[in-house]
Amino acid sequence: MATQVKKICCLGAGYVGGPTCAVIAYKCHDIDVTIVDLNDARIAAWNSDQLPIYEPGLDKIVFERRGKNLFFTTEVEQAVIEADLIFVSVNTPTKKSGLGAGFAADLAYVESATRQIADVAKSSKIVVEKSTVPCRTAESMRTILEANSNENIRFDILSNPEFLAEGTAINDLLNPDRVLIGGLQTEEGIRAQQALVEVYAHWVPKDRIITTNLWSSELSKLAANALLAQRISSINALSAICEATGADIDEVAYACGRDSRIGPKFLKASVGFGGSCFQKDILNLVYLSEQLNLPEVAAYWKQVVDLNEYQKKRFVSRVIKTLFNTITNKKIAILGFAFKKDTGDTRESAAITLCKDFIQENAKVRIYDPKVSVEQIFLDLSEPGVVDNTKYLKTRVTITKSAYEASEDADAIVITTEWDEFKELDFQKIYDQMHKPAFIFDGRLILDAEKLRNIGFRVHTIGRAEI
Ligand SMILES: NC(=O)c1ccc[n+]([C@@H]2O[C@H](COP(=O)([O-])OP(=O)(O)OC[C@H]3O[C@@H](n4cnc5c(N)ncnc54)[C@H](O)[C@@H]3O)[C@@H](O)[C@H]2O)c1
Ligand SMILES: O=c1ccn([C@@H]2O[C@H](COP(=O)(O)OP(=O)(O)O[C@H]3O[C@H](CO)[C@@H](O)[C@H](O)[C@H]3O)[C@@H](O)[C@H]2O)c(=O)[nH]1
């Protein structure tokens, strides 16, 4: 018989912990879900009308269950003591210093969360690794937890990586392609695995709940992200060939994607992938491969990230070259700052690299994004440690309230995020208020180039030759 889970605690109220556990509360009224975080402001926001993250459909779910079987608190100890299953959903950023800096995942938050559980638990717990971690991290967690268990307390450890994508998180959680649960293949491990299967089975068909051993589960998360990012780097590499030959990347992607072995998804050329996961997780895989003395494997995956950097730089060069090899004091309207549409998240957004490069070239950058705050944009563009960088930035960067305001007197528009509202803009109005020649660089292939050319724009699209 599987243990029945009645109380869940989630350590980490971020982009994953918040939506994931809110959906569990929404679908499992018989389970109490408490999401905890060390960050007071974040928890206060989860308890307010203005949630700390923007995600379509999230408000409805949180507002419906909050205070009933969904709770947000900074009282970590109490929540851990009461829970029978604990998700560890803390951040695992790339290490900035020390061994493996720039590649390895920083596991300090995972370890401290694990120690916290070991320190305060007074009864047996199922501990679930939700964060994305290097393969075999569960072993270190188990060692820490087992060193603190006794005849009255045992800890079972599971790996349950999250596959949601930002912007579609709620739909991804409500209708997942699969849920992956890895466990030790012992009697107790399998029992713990089944307990978590039963939680998801409240709404996920059982044939979509995959159970594997711990290490396959951990590695599958890194592998899935590496494979997805590899598709984008592949299509972006082809976009460079299209620009040089007259082939059209959307047509190439469509033609290739119609092969059922390839499939149509994740073949959209862009200014480069962003987000908190792809780069971090591939670098993590590169580091793991090197640690395993597999340098050829490491080099193979590293190329996916290198190509992504190349794509961003290639796009910047195209803009500068087209604007007569200088953008000094030219006004460039940047439409979109988030790393993709339908999120306010800017982590590793290609727009950051592009804006920094334009500022380096002394351009005046006017940025509009429907969901990213002014403070966040300045934070992303500032260079830590450089004195008065913010003061300088304010002379170069203007954040506007609309795409129209951003493009006033601009020399060029650069589309960096594929927000739907950019497709609906009145481009005649925009053209009329821009310097001439008026340039548009579509880094997301969302605009009708023909229509824009008829208005008078000079249009440059990623993956298409200049006309
Ligand atoms: N963002 C995504 O779309 C996504 C998707 C799948 C997996 N992941 C993975 O999930 C993990 C979390 O990502 P995220 O985007 O939610 O990160 P995040 O930074 O938004 O949230 C992590 C939260 O954990 C909190 N925290 C750290 N240590 C804690 C502790 N000991 N106790 C309580 N709270 C603590 C932090 O204050 C922070 O609010 C990462 O490993 C990430 O790779 C992220
Ligand atoms: O065809 C495509 C698809 C995506 N992107 C870009 O790739 C980045 C990542 O997009 P996406 O994968 O949709 O969003 P994430 O929220 O980063 O989700 C990825 O990373 C998560 C964190 O690990 C995983 O859980 C998800 O399964 C995985 O899709 C964004 O900049 C997109 O604009 C493209 O350029 N072309």
Side-chain angles (χ1 to χ4, degrees), residues 198-355:
E198 291 311 322
V199 172
Y200 284 106
H202 279 71
W203 78 98
V204 180
K206 281 233 170 126
D207 62 356
R208 290 193 180 201
I209 306 177
I210 306 170
T211 52
T212 65
N213 80 33
L214 267 177
W215 325 124
S216 305
S217 173
E218 289 180 330
L219 185 58
S220 297
K221 174 63 199 178
L222 297 183
N225 273 355
L227 289 166
L228 288 168
Q230 181 208 43
R231 276 174 78 93
I232 304 171
S233 280
S234 298
I235 207 73
N236 283 343
L238 291 165
S239 76
I241 299 181
C242 287
E243 287 167 34
T245 56
D248 178 323
I249 196 61
D250 262 353
E251 291 181 352
V252 173
Y254 181 73
C256 295
R258 285 296 296 266
D259 184 326
S260 60
R261 293 169 302 174
I262 297 173
K265 294 183 183 170
F266 260 70
L267 287 180
K268 191 78 182 165
S270 64
V271 276
F273 60 74
S276 63
C277 295
F278 280 172
Q279 178 174 306
K280 160 175 87 72
D281 294 348
I282 296 176
L283 293 175
N284 188 338
L285 192 61
V286 169
Y287 186 69
L288 181 72
S289 309
E290 272 165 3
Q291 293 293 295
L292 297 170
N293 202 19
L294 302 168
E296 289 81 2
V297 178
Y300 175 79
W301 289 115
K302 174 73 169 37
Q303 189 60 22
V304 173
V305 174
D306 291 347
L307 199 290
N308 197 48
E309 287 307 306
Y310 164 75
Q311 183 76 348
K312 291 185 255 182
K313 296 293 175 194
R314 206 170 67 75
F315 190 74
V316 169
S317 303
R318 190 172 174 187
V319 173
I320 296 171
K321 201 170 135 225
T322 309
L323 294 179
F324 316 110
N325 289 311
T326 175
I327 55 171
T328 297
N329 287 332
K330 287 185 181 160
K331 284 188 184 155
I332 302 190
I334 304 288
L335 300 194
F337 202 77
F339 79 96
K340 63 185 284 200
K341 73 170 181 177
D342 292 336
T343 177
D345 195 351
T346 61
R347 290 179 289 179
E348 303 298 336
S349 177
I352 300 175
T353 313
L354 265 53
C355 288

Side-chain angles (χ1 to χ4, degrees), residues 12 14-16 37 42 90 92 116 131-132 162 166 280 347:
Y15 285 88
V16 168
D37 205 293
R42 217 165 197 184
V90 300
T92 50
Q116 237 167 340
S131 299
T132 304
E162 185 47 61
E166 289 178 31
K280 160 175 87 72
R347 290 179 289 179

Side-chain angles (χ1 to χ4, degrees), residues 20-282:
T20 309
C21 286
V23 165
I24 292 180
Y26 180 68
K27 286 291 181 181
C28 311
H29 294 187
D30 54 332
I31 300 177
D32 279 344
V33 180
T34 304
I35 307 177
V36 302
D37 205 293
L38 305 172
N39 181 332
D40 290 336
R42 217 165 197 184
I43 289 298
W46 279 111
N47 281 318
S48 75
D49 291 342
Q50 192 70 48
L51 301 184
I53 61 177
Y54 170 70
E55 192 61 63
L58 177 64
D59 306 31
K60 178 182 166 281
I61 284 177
V62 170
F63 297 157
E64 195 169 314
R65 299 314 304 168
R66 201 171 58 191
K68 295 183 180 128
N69 67 330
L70 175 64
F71 307 93
F72 296 91
T73 174
T74 49
E75 306 276 318
V76 181
E77 279 195 17
Q78 194 55 28
V80 168
I81 288 171
E82 288 177 6
D84 30 46
L85 184 145
I86 302 167
F87 285 108
V88 176
S89 189
V90 300
N91 33 334
T92 50
T94 305
K95 270 183 92 173
K96 288 207 173 76
S97 59
L99 213 61
F103 288 90
D106 184 347
L107 295 174
Y109 302 97
V110 171
E111 175 163 345
S112 101
T114 310
R115 287 188 182 279
Q116 237 167 340
I117 298 170
D119 286 349
V120 304
K122 295 187 168 64
S123 59
S124 296
K125 314 278 175 205
I126 297 173
V127 179
V128 185
E129 185 187 71
K130 187 60 135 171
S131 299
T132 304
V133 289
C135 193
R136 294 199 82 89
T137 301
E139 188 152 270
S140 326
M141 291 173 77
R142 193 154 63 98
T143 308
I144 293 169
L145 291 168
E146 276 181 359
N148 290 281
S149 56
N150 55 45
E151 65 276 11
N152 300 317
I153 307 185
R154 63 168 283 117
F155 296 100
D156 287 297
I157 186 139
L158 299 175
S159 156
N160 172 221
E162 185 47 61
F163 295 103
L164 68 80
E166 289 178 31
T168 54
I170 298 303
N171 190 47
D172 294 344
L173 289 164
L174 292 175
N175 307 293
D177 285 345
R178 77 320 203 172
V179 167
L180 178 58
I181 304 174
L184 277 185
Q185 296 307 293
T186 57
E187 197 183 315
E188 295 87 352
I190 291 169
R191 199 178 316 129
Q193 213 169 19
Q194 282 312 310
L196 187 55
V197 167
E198 291 311 322
V199 172
Y200 284 106
H202 279 71
W203 78 98
V204 180
K206 281 233 170 126
D207 62 356
R208 290 193 180 201
I209 306 177
I210 306 170
T211 52
T212 65
N213 80 33
L214 267 177
W215 325 124
S216 305
S217 173
E218 289 180 330
L219 185 58
S220 297
K221 174 63 199 178
L222 297 183
N225 273 355
L227 289 166
L228 288 168
Q230 181 208 43
R231 276 174 78 93
I232 304 171
S233 280
S234 298
I235 207 73
N236 283 343
L238 291 165
S239 76
I241 299 181
C242 287
E243 287 167 34
T245 56
D248 178 323
I249 196 61
D250 262 353
E251 291 181 352
V252 173
Y254 181 73
C256 295
R258 285 296 296 266
D259 184 326
S260 60
R261 293 169 302 174
I262 297 173
K265 294 183 183 170
F266 260 70
L267 287 180
K268 191 78 182 165
S270 64
V271 276
F273 60 74
S276 63
C277 295
F278 280 172
Q279 178 174 306
K280 160 175 87 72
D281 294 348
I282 296 176

